[in-house]
Amino acid sequence: MSTPSQAQIRRRVSEAETVVVKVGSSSLTQADGHLDVTKLNALVGALASTQLMGARVVLVSSGAIAAGFGPLGFDARPTDVATQQATAAVGQGLLMAQYEAAFGRFGVRVGQILITAEDTIRATQYRNVQRTLDRLLDLGVVPIINENDSLASNEIRFGDNDRLSALVANLVRADALVLLTDVDGLYTAPPSEPGSKRIAYVPNVVDALGEVKVGGTGSKVGTGGMVTKLEAARVAAVSGIPTVLTCAGNAGPALMGDPVGTAFAPVKRRGSTRRLWIGFAAEPRGTIIVDAGAGEAVRGGRASLLAAGAVEVRGAFSAGDPVWIDAEDGTHLARGLAGYDSEEVPRMLGRNTTQLKRILGEEYAHPLVHRDNLVLV
Ligand SMILES: Nc1ncnc2c1ncn2[C@@H]1O[C@H](COP(=O)(O)OP(=O)(O)O)[C@@H](O)[C@H]1O
Ligand SMILES: N[C@@H](CCC(=O)OP(=O)(O)O)C(=O)O
């Protein structure tokens, strides 16, 4: 696939049949922790027009915690997990009430979907999310997605919604991802640094960003900053989906294909959704270290990881959790979903399938990581 021009990417965004739009906390709230209804209504105006022109629109909206702390009487975004979770429970309801009213003025229905990272890595759960989203879109509804902050465990969570939005874009087979934030695009350095300049077009987000200096959030309510937005653009790019990153005020022009913000080209054709979830959705809980032969087999792309080639296991994980597969020198070779709990693995190490069946029983005959549950890194 030759590298497309910026104009081609902008056209693809304007012609998208399905578009995922992600909006950050700072674009929806005031500094005092109350929803900024004017900003929210302006965003909904742009999204509703896109939807009424025939596109399928999915909104990934942050802002539950930012919208909840003011009404609860706190001066600032809480920092402890329990209070954040309680604040999100309050803020999410307030956020949805505003969205329902705003979209309702255009006769557009909305539906709320709250997702935890854990949901997204289990095959049955992500198929469930996919089916519900597809059905909502068929029904002409705008799904509004957020991380399920009130229930997410602290160890496995997205935290920001940037990566979640890219995974959702892949899940709904979107034609474009639009990331809306409080800065009008990607800059050569954090915009507070003198001399930093907006970058209008990134033809290859995977390896062309060496010169760019990215920093964390610039606001008191956002999380992740530009780092997670670039990760999201990268996940979208390897899924074959172009991304536009700009400020929320530019939502309308961005969706119409105007040259606002920063456009990122896709870098290859669409990959398997499931493998992307495994590759990006959650932090691995442990590591399986493999010998050179198994490493080569795994890197070859079509082999499962068998116990015979594994030499050590680290960390505590359950069957189904994401794990690293590392070489003995510590190099990451792949990520995958473990076929066993970590405590079952030590007695399996180095044994071939016949030995495993004979010594431990039939139920130990399947691979440590099945090739369908494995992505190379
Ligand atoms: N190279 C960069 N270009 C643009 N913004 C940057 C860069 N590095 C860091 N940032 C910061 O990232 C912020 C946006 O991220 P964040 O606050 O998490 O927003 P959101 O709440 O929309 O997710 C910007 O306000 C900016 O201060
Ligand atoms: N799920 C959280 C999102 C946290 C957050 O601040 O995200 P973002 O503003 O997208 O960087 C919420 O709704 O408050």
Side-chain angles (χ1 to χ4, degrees):
M1 192 173 75
S2 63
T3 308
S5 67
Q6 183 186 174
Q8 285 171 317
I9 293 300
R10 300 289 183 175
R11 192 165 338 108
R12 272 178 70 171
V13 175
S14 70
E15 290 170 356
E17 283 173 24
T18 304
V19 59
V20 173
V21 178
K22 183 261 166 176
V23 63
S25 306
S26 51
S27 305
L28 295 170
T29 49
Q30 302 160 342
D32 64 1
H34 284 88
L35 276 167
D36 189 327
V37 179
T38 313
K39 284 187 193 162
L40 186 142
N41 284 342
L43 168 68
V44 169
L47 300 181
S49 315
T50 305
Q51 211 253 10
L52 293 171
M53 284 192 288
R56 292 149 66 99
V57 177
V58 178
L59 175 61
V60 177
S61 177
S62 300
I65 299 174
F69 74 75
L72 280 172
F74 299 122
D75 292 334
R77 194 182 196 277
T79 49
D80 70 289
V81 176
T83 316
Q84 279 180 357
Q85 293 187 311
T87 306
V90 172
Q92 182 64 26
L94 296 167
L95 196 57
M96 280 309 291
Q98 290 297 342
Y99 276 130
E100 238 163 55
F103 276 103
R105 279 182 219 116
F106 296 89
V108 176
R109 283 246 159 256
V110 297
Q112 171 184 274
I113 307 257
L114 301 177
I115 300 180
T116 61
E118 248 161 355
D119 290 335
T120 62
I121 52 176
R122 312 246 171 228
T124 46
Q125 299 286 93
Y126 89 75
R127 285 201 190 99
N128 219 353
V129 175
Q130 187 171 42
R131 198 181 48 211
T132 310
L133 285 173
D134 282 346
R135 195 75 196 108
L136 281 168
L137 291 170
D138 289 346
L139 291 166
V141 173
V142 172
I144 302 183
I145 301 177
N146 196 355
E147 182 165 16
N148 193 343
D149 297 305
S150 299
L151 296 184
S153 72
N154 207 25
E155 295 79 34
I156 311 189
R157 66 181 314 184
F158 289 104
D160 60 276
N161 274 332
D162 299 318
R163 286 166 306 151
L164 174 64
S165 68
L167 294 170
V168 167
N170 190 276
L171 196 67
V172 297
R173 298 166 295 279
D175 305 295
L177 171 66
V178 177
L179 298 172
L180 301 173
T181 181
D182 60 352
V183 59
D184 66 349
L186 171 69
Y187 277 66
T188 48
S192 51
E193 285 192 21
S196 62
K197 289 194 182 62
R198 179 170 68 91
I199 300 169
Y201 183 48
V202 178
N204 187 334
V205 61
V206 174
D207 52 30
L209 285 173
E211 302 294 294
V212 177
K213 199 169 142 198
V214 294
T217 179
S219 75
K220 293 198 176 70
V221 289
T223 5
M226 216 26 73
V227 178
T228 49
K229 280 170 207 17
L230 290 184
E231 251 181 71
R234 189 166 72 93
V235 175
V238 299
S239 317
I241 301 168
T243 299
V244 173
L245 164 71
T246 190
C247 58
N250 279 343
L255 287 160
M256 307 254 281
D258 292 354
V260 291
T262 306
F264 299 84
V267 293
K268 74 169 199 256
R269 287 182 205 292
R270 203 178 289 274
S272 133
T273 308
R274 179 107 202 289
R275 281 166 185 254
L276 273 162
W277 288 119
I278 298 166
F280 298 105
E283 268 311 300
R285 314 296 300 266
T287 306
I288 299 174
I289 295 150
V290 301
D291 64 21
E296 242 170 69
V298 165
R299 293 297 290 179
R302 289 302 307 146
S304 295
L305 173 62
L306 303 177
V311 295
E312 194 188 330
V313 59
R314 292 191 195 138
F317 51 84
S318 305
D321 281 345
V323 290
W324 285 117
I325 298 172
D326 281 8
E328 288 182 87
D329 67 0
T331 316
H332 290 320
L333 302 172
R335 288 169 76 144
L337 302 184
Y340 298 86
D341 295 349
S342 51
E343 64 243 31
E344 294 177 295
V345 181
R347 57 200 171 134
M348 301 174 67
L349 295 173
R351 297 194 193 279
N352 65 34
T353 310
T354 318
Q355 292 169 325
L356 289 171
K357 280 195 211 165
R358 184 161 42 81
I359 305 167
L360 299 171
E362 266 313 310
E363 66 275 28
Y364 286 87
H366 63 270
L368 284 184
V369 180
H370 192 277
R371 63 168 186 247
D372 291 346
N373 293 333
L374 199 148
V375 272
L376 302 181
V377 291

